[in-house]
Amino acid sequence: MSTSHPVAAVIGAGTIGLSWTALFAAHGLPVRVSDPRPDLAEAVADALAQAAPQLARQGLDVHGLAGRVQLAGDVPEAVRGADVVQENGPENTDFKRELFATLVREAPSHALLLSSSSALPASAFTDGLDDAGRILIGHPFNPPHLVPLVEVVPGERTSEDAVARAVEFYRSVGRVPVVERKEIPGFVGNRLQNALSREAIHLVEQGVVGPAELDTIVVNSLGLRWSTVGPFLGAHLGGGPGGYRHMAEHIGPSMRRMWDSLGRPEQGPEETERLITAVEDAYGARSYGELTEERDRRQLAVLAALADTTPHHEENRS
Ligand SMILES: NC(=O)c1ccc[n+]([C@@H]2O[C@H](COP(=O)([O-])OP(=O)(O)OC[C@H]3O[C@@H](n4cnc5c(N)ncnc54)[C@H](O)[C@@H]3O)[C@@H](O)[C@H]2O)c1
């Protein structure tokens, strides 16, 4: 990126695109947004208004935030003159294949083309494209203006230069990029999340706990722990001074015996309906706005508490 403020295009302004828009603009980038939704102007204005105080709490200057965001009439208009494009459209291979063909055609040849895709790897939708070297996944966690991780996943034909530029770009907007060297459905974050979700669904289906109790267990144990140490360092410390070796040799065998009883819930239409009802019974009385406000407030409190204590090696990891 040649200037300190590259021009960003955000394609798809749903949950993720709106959050990226706020983050990029708060870092001083001019942002062009494209989405066919009829309420685009209102959605962008609402998202910026909601995110501004949260971004300010992270030390960002949010004056003039809205002035840096421009609505584009269509995708070509949004990406013309862009240095970096962040795609956040529907999670669908055909959609992304067609969209990236347009991006390659319409964006300047130096522009980095990034997809927020949660599970589809870049190679799944770039097979027919000549210019796939600058296309790769930049997968965030919701909401990307608060949760720092971005999984940077090159496709088979992505250039090393594009990977390095993506890492540099995400760092420049305060994110923590981690490069993953093999394309695998769901990448790393969503595989881990789904391993846990699968067992969570199993435990609820078996009547061991309800959705709210399960969430209470995670928030007060694993979630708290994992905002300070990951599973491997957690286990290394769980082994006491004997470390991971002691954990693996002492408690490991009884944990591994449990692996055979981990759930593989069915999730046909009936089971899915039952689960949806259970979650709605637990949380349906509170509005989306109220729940996201509470989540974001708590998320910011954790980030603020951790800000001064982030280990050096994590800040520099890529
Ligand atoms: N929601 C999450 O937690 C999450 C997290 C990380 C990554 N993602 C990924 O981000 C992407 C977007 O997910 P989301 O949850 O924001 O979806 P969403 O449904 O909230 O938003 C998708 C948006 O794309 C728009 N769109 C449809 N066709 C378009 C077109 N031709 N041009 C521009 N925009 C178009 C839709 O109008 C909609 O606003 C997906 O690939 C998803 O896997 C989602």
Side-chain angles (χ1 to χ4, degrees), residues 218-229:
V218 173
V219 167
N220 288 283
S221 59
L222 298 174
L224 197 56
R225 174 186 290 166
W226 288 343
S227 67
T228 60
V229 293

Side-chain angles (χ1 to χ4, degrees), residues 116-256:
S116 293
S117 164
S118 297
L120 301 170
S123 298
F125 53 84
T126 54
D127 41 351
L129 297 177
D130 290 337
D131 191 8
R134 56 191 172 123
I135 301 175
L136 67 165
I137 305 296
H139 172 247
F141 274 69
N142 186 39
H145 73 279
L146 295 185
V147 184
L149 180 74
V150 184
E151 294 179 277
V152 173
V153 191
E156 283 161 16
R157 295 191 292 144
T158 308
S159 72
E160 277 308 310
D161 176 59
V163 174
R165 288 171 61 208
V167 166
E168 182 196 342
F169 170 66
Y170 286 125
R171 284 203 180 127
S172 76
V173 290
R175 302 303 83 191
V176 176
V178 174
V179 179
E180 297 171 12
R181 287 292 170 188
K182 273 190 181 173
E183 289 183 304
I184 181 165
F187 314 121
V188 174
N190 268 324
R191 291 181 79 87
L192 292 172
Q193 177 163 252
N194 278 278
L196 187 71
S197 295
R198 188 167 76 176
E199 183 61 18
I201 291 168
H202 172 69
L203 292 167
V204 169
E205 272 190 351
Q206 295 299 307
V208 178
V209 281
E213 287 81 29
L214 189 125
D215 283 355
T216 300
I217 288 169
V218 173
V219 167
N220 288 283
S221 59
L222 298 174
L224 197 56
R225 174 186 290 166
W226 288 343
S227 67
T228 60
V229 293
F232 284 112
L233 179 53
H236 187 51
L237 300 174
Y244 195 81
R245 173 175 298 283
H246 182 62
M247 179 58 108
E249 292 172 356
H250 173 214
I251 303 177
S254 70
M255 291 293 178
R256 286 193 290 274

Side-chain angles (χ1 to χ4, degrees), residues 6-311:
V7 175
V10 169
I11 308 301
T15 309
I16 295 302
L18 289 170
S19 177
W20 276 131
T21 299
L23 179 80
F24 295 162
H27 280 270
L29 279 63
V31 188
R32 309 210 171 124
V33 184
S34 168
D35 190 310
R37 61 189 287 179
D39 64 341
L40 179 61
E42 196 187 345
V44 168
D46 287 352
L48 294 180
Q50 194 183 353
Q54 302 170 347
L55 292 158
R57 274 201 61 190
Q58 295 176 69
L60 295 166
D61 181 5
V62 294
H63 291 107
L65 196 64
R68 288 195 282 279
V69 179
Q70 253 178 36
L71 307 186
D74 56 20
V75 171
E77 186 188 325
V79 303
R80 198 174 303 138
D83 298 302
V84 56
V85 179
Q86 182 81 43
E87 177 275 326
N88 321 275
E91 182 81 355
N92 171 296
T93 309
D94 289 340
F95 170 84
K96 295 206 194 281
R97 183 175 286 127
E98 198 176 317
L99 183 73
F100 274 88
T102 305
L103 297 181
V104 162
R105 224 175 27 244
E106 302 289 345
S109 59
H110 73 276
L112 200 51
L113 307 178
L114 301 155
S115 171
S116 293
S117 164
S118 297
L120 301 170
S123 298
F125 53 84
T126 54
D127 41 351
L129 297 177
D130 290 337
D131 191 8
R134 56 191 172 123
I135 301 175
L136 67 165
I137 305 296
H139 172 247
F141 274 69
N142 186 39
H145 73 279
L146 295 185
V147 184
L149 180 74
V150 184
E151 294 179 277
V152 173
V153 191
E156 283 161 16
R157 295 191 292 144
T158 308
S159 72
E160 277 308 310
D161 176 59
V163 174
R165 288 171 61 208
V167 166
E168 182 196 342
F169 170 66
Y170 286 125
R171 284 203 180 127
S172 76
V173 290
R175 302 303 83 191
V176 176
V178 174
V179 179
E180 297 171 12
R181 287 292 170 188
K182 273 190 181 173
E183 289 183 304
I184 181 165
F187 314 121
V188 174
N190 268 324
R191 291 181 79 87
L192 292 172
Q193 177 163 252
N194 278 278
L196 187 71
S197 295
R198 188 167 76 176
E199 183 61 18
I201 291 168
H202 172 69
L203 292 167
V204 169
E205 272 190 351
Q206 295 299 307
V208 178
V209 281
E213 287 81 29
L214 189 125
D215 283 355
T216 300
I217 288 169
V218 173
V219 167
N220 288 283
S221 59
L222 298 174
L224 197 56
R225 174 186 290 166
W226 288 343
S227 67
T228 60
V229 293
F232 284 112
L233 179 53
H236 187 51
L237 300 174
Y244 195 81
R245 173 175 298 283
H246 182 62
M247 179 58 108
E249 292 172 356
H250 173 214
I251 303 177
S254 70
M255 291 293 178
R256 286 193 290 274
R257 275 194 294 280
M258 185 186 59
W259 287 4
D260 286 342
S261 72
L262 292 175
R264 287 188 164 267
E266 276 291 319
Q267 291 303 283
E270 239 175 70
E271 292 87 354
T272 304
E273 198 50 47
R274 222 179 15 245
L275 190 66
I276 291 170
T277 304
V279 175
E280 287 178 352
D281 283 350
Y283 297 118
R286 300 179 68 197
S287 72
Y288 176 70
E290 190 188 338
L291 288 167
T292 51
E293 190 278 329
E294 183 175 290
R295 176 200 63 192
D296 293 351
R297 195 161 31 81
R298 290 166 66 88
Q299 193 89 78
L300 274 165
V302 173
L303 285 171
L306 290 172
D308 293 337
T309 65
T310 302

